[in-house]
Amino acid sequence: MAGNCLQAVELTTSGRPVLLPTEIECSLLSAVDLECEDLPNFPHLKSGLLILTTHRLLWLPDSTTTIPTASSSASAIPLAAITHIFAAKKSIKSMFHSPRLRFQLSVSPEGRVPDSGSGSRSVVVTVVVRGKSDLDAFLSKFWESWRGRAWEIGDEQGSSDAVSGSGSASSSGLYTREGTVRMVGVSGILRKEQEMWESTDKSLQDAFQDLNALMSKAKEMVMLAEKMRQKLLSGSQPNDEELGSKQEMQDWMLSVGIISPVTKESAGAQYHQQLSRQLADFVRLPLERAGGMMNLIDIYCLFNRARGTELISPEDLLQACSLWEKFDVPVMLRKFDSGVMVIQNKSHSDEEVFARIKTLVMKPDALRTGISASDAAITLGIAPGMAKEHLLTAESKGLLCRDISPDGFRFYINLFPEIDPNDLYLVKDYGIYHTWLRAASASG
């Protein structure tokens, strides 16, 4: 398996890779094989998705019927462990077989891939592209990400000022983060030194000005992060005293946004499939807040707000939702008889909603005057529009009856199953009809 030499990749419930804090997706290839003849314990990676990020190469099994997991050989190769990328060869022979690219990988004496290029020997890994993908564009982004060394920049941001200074000096190689050639020569060195000192001086001034505010917020942010990790990711059920803090954490999570949204540029032909998986991961918290069901329009607004400038069209959202039928994700797209489309958890139960509605309409006041969509919305904790759809569904199941008046829709408990067609005036001493008569006579 992949654990023999490559690093395992943690996946979400929809099969999307869990990215590192500062990691961003750059490009994607479909139907890709990874081969390495120099390592006998190299895993059997065939016809999968190859995702290039700023930190790693991620290989995931491509399946439309089951969700891949970390145990099914989802693997990662850190870009820091890559020592050389070979240029693509153009020849007549290459026209008759699948496109390939090769890179040199540093491994340990045991044949495992380390987090950095500190291995004792090098092996060559071949990427074989079986599908129809733009290998030249992928190779260009591969070079750019490898030269950018974003993993070192992330390490520098988390270290002290002294360590950050030495780290930035060591990362200033021949290429910039954008892949362009740096200024060289004596004049270039002097100018870079001057720019570095000016930048350091400005950063120190800003840091000292904001130091008190930073220290006052540091403890609060650490506590918030820990609460988010323990409560939202552990899956534990909170008690009544914790519901307020959980609601607060969910608001924070929804306001953060998506760090690495799936785009057509990065995902290519796999755009809608990867967008569908990312959307399934995103809607988990909003659905939990909304009681397990949300209007598709509300999801569209929340998802686009989280994506920032990488907005999607309504058609892309609808197509992404329709692909959930092919994936084993915990959410689904549902269309009511009225045409309203919603997203709901698969564990959402209409019977549970109907039971709560029946409890509401059986109250004495509701037996006399009925209930409105607003009344049901307050009881169910959802929007009035969604509550109206639930009431209409309950009516179609024979639980409720509807009265249309100038004031709008009013829903009542359905008494017709309680009436004996052979004896219309027979009133039993039990049942819903008897309860309604008692409430009506009490009001009179």
Side-chain angles (χ1 to χ4, degrees):
M1 298 299 291
N4 291 335
C5 67
L6 301 183
Q7 297 178 1
V9 177
E10 183 181 356
L11 302 178
T12 65
T13 54
S14 67
R16 289 277 301 164
V18 177
L19 301 180
L20 301 176
T22 58
E23 189 176 16
I24 298 176
E25 293 182 35
C26 301
S27 187
L28 182 146
L29 292 176
S30 60
V32 172
D33 301 348
L34 289 185
E35 301 174 353
C36 181
E37 298 179 356
D38 301 331
L39 285 179
N41 61 337
F42 196 83
H44 186 74
L45 305 179
K46 298 292 183 181
S47 189
L49 295 176
L50 185 65
I51 301 177
L52 171 67
T53 73
T54 52
H55 292 57
R56 299 177 293 175
L57 275 175
L58 308 177
W59 188 95
L60 297 99
D62 185 12
S63 175
T64 58
T65 56
T66 58
I67 293 301
T69 62
S71 61
S72 62
S73 74
S75 311
I77 299 177
L79 296 186
I82 297 176
T83 57
H84 183 70
I85 300 175
F86 297 95
K89 294 182 179 181
K90 300 293 184 179
S91 63
I92 298 179
K93 183 180 179 181
S94 63
M95 299 174 59
F96 298 97
H97 61 70
S98 300
R100 301 165 185 260
L101 67 88
R102 300 183 304 149
F103 58 87
Q104 192 168 282
L105 188 63
S106 177
V107 296
S108 64
E110 296 79 14
R112 295 186 62 84
V113 178
D115 292 332
S116 60
S118 58
S120 60
R121 62 191 182 101
S122 298
V123 297
V124 176
V125 178
T126 303
V127 178
V128 183
V129 183
R130 308 289 185 187
K132 296 181 180 180
S133 301
D134 191 350
L135 185 61
D136 293 335
F138 182 86
L139 182 59
S140 176
K141 291 182 179 295
F142 193 10
W143 273 100
E144 183 178 340
S145 299
W146 183 59
R147 288 168 174 168
R149 309 187 76 82
W151 58 90
E152 291 184 356
I153 297 174
D155 293 340
E156 292 169 8
Q157 293 177 350
S159 59
S160 62
D161 291 342
V163 176
S164 297
S166 62
S168 60
S170 63
S171 63
S172 56
L174 180 61
Y175 296 93
T176 64
R177 292 176 58 189
E178 291 77 18
T180 58
V181 180
R182 295 182 185 273
M183 185 178 297
V184 295
V186 176
S187 61
I189 296 175
L190 293 177
R191 182 174 299 181
K192 291 298 294 183
E193 287 288 331
Q194 180 66 25
E195 291 176 356
M196 185 184 68
W197 282 111
E198 291 177 356
S199 177
T200 302
D201 182 69
K202 185 177 183 302
S203 298
L204 286 174
Q205 292 179 4
D206 295 339
F208 280 112
Q209 290 176 359
D210 299 333
L211 184 60
N212 292 333
L214 176 64
M215 294 301 294
S216 63
K217 291 291 184 181
K219 184 176 180 180
E220 178 183 348
M221 293 303 296
V222 171
M223 293 177 61
L224 177 62
E226 180 64 19
K227 283 163 48 177
M228 292 166 69
R229 185 179 69 86
Q230 293 290 340
K231 301 298 182 184
L232 294 184
L233 303 182
S234 64
S236 60
Q237 296 295 328
N239 52 40
D240 294 339
E241 298 178 356
E242 295 174 332
L243 288 178
S245 61
K246 184 173 182 181
Q247 181 72 21
E248 179 183 356
M249 286 185 287
Q250 290 175 341
D251 294 337
W252 274 85
M253 290 287 283
L254 290 177
S255 64
V256 169
I258 301 174
I259 298 177
S260 181
V262 173
T263 63
K264 292 183 178 179
E265 181 182 2
S266 64
Q270 297 287 320
Y271 170 66
H272 286 103
Q273 293 188 21
Q274 295 301 313
L275 181 67
S276 177
R277 295 182 186 275
Q278 189 172 68
L279 178 62
D281 291 330
F282 173 80
V283 298
R284 290 176 58 191
L285 279 180
L287 288 179
E288 184 178 349
R289 295 181 59 195
M293 179 182 294
M294 283 190 69
N295 194 302
L296 189 62
I297 298 176
D298 296 335
I299 291 293
Y300 177 74
C301 296
L302 289 175
F303 193 52
N304 264 340
R305 185 184 73 174
R307 289 175 62 89
T309 58
E310 301 292 345
L311 304 181
I312 64 171
S313 65
E315 291 78 12
D316 287 339
L317 181 74
L318 187 60
Q319 187 169 349
C321 294
S322 62
L323 289 176
W324 285 339
E325 297 179 357
K326 301 180 180 179
F327 305 141
D328 186 18
V329 293
V331 292
M332 60 179 289
L333 178 66
R334 177 180 178 182
K335 186 175 182 180
F336 285 99
D337 295 336
S338 62
V340 175
M341 289 185 289
V342 299
I343 293 176
Q344 70 175 47
N345 289 323
K346 288 184 177 179
S347 59
H348 180 81
S349 173
D350 284 346
E351 286 70 21
E352 181 181 349
V353 175
F354 293 160
R356 296 175 64 182
I357 292 177
K358 184 176 181 180
T359 302
L360 176 63
V361 296
M362 288 299 294
K363 293 182 178 180
D365 292 340
L367 287 172
R368 295 191 298 267
T369 62
I371 62 172
S372 64
S374 299
D375 298 331
I378 296 174
T379 300
L380 300 176
I382 57 177
M386 294 300 304
K388 181 180 178 181
E389 295 298 328
H390 283 303
L391 292 174
L392 292 175
T393 304
E395 179 196 17
S396 66
K397 299 295 183 181
L399 177 63
L400 302 178
C401 289
R402 176 180 20 142
D403 178 50
I404 303 177
S405 67
D407 296 333
F409 287 6
R410 303 292 294 184
F411 292 87
Y412 299 84
I413 191 69
N414 186 10
L415 299 178
F416 290 100
E418 298 283 326
I419 300 177
D420 188 356
N422 298 321
D423 190 353
L424 299 179
Y425 299 99
L426 175 64
V427 179
K428 301 178 182 179
D429 294 336
Y430 57 89
I432 299 176
Y433 190 26
H434 177 71
T435 305
W436 175 79
L437 285 176
R438 290 175 54 188
S441 59
S443 62

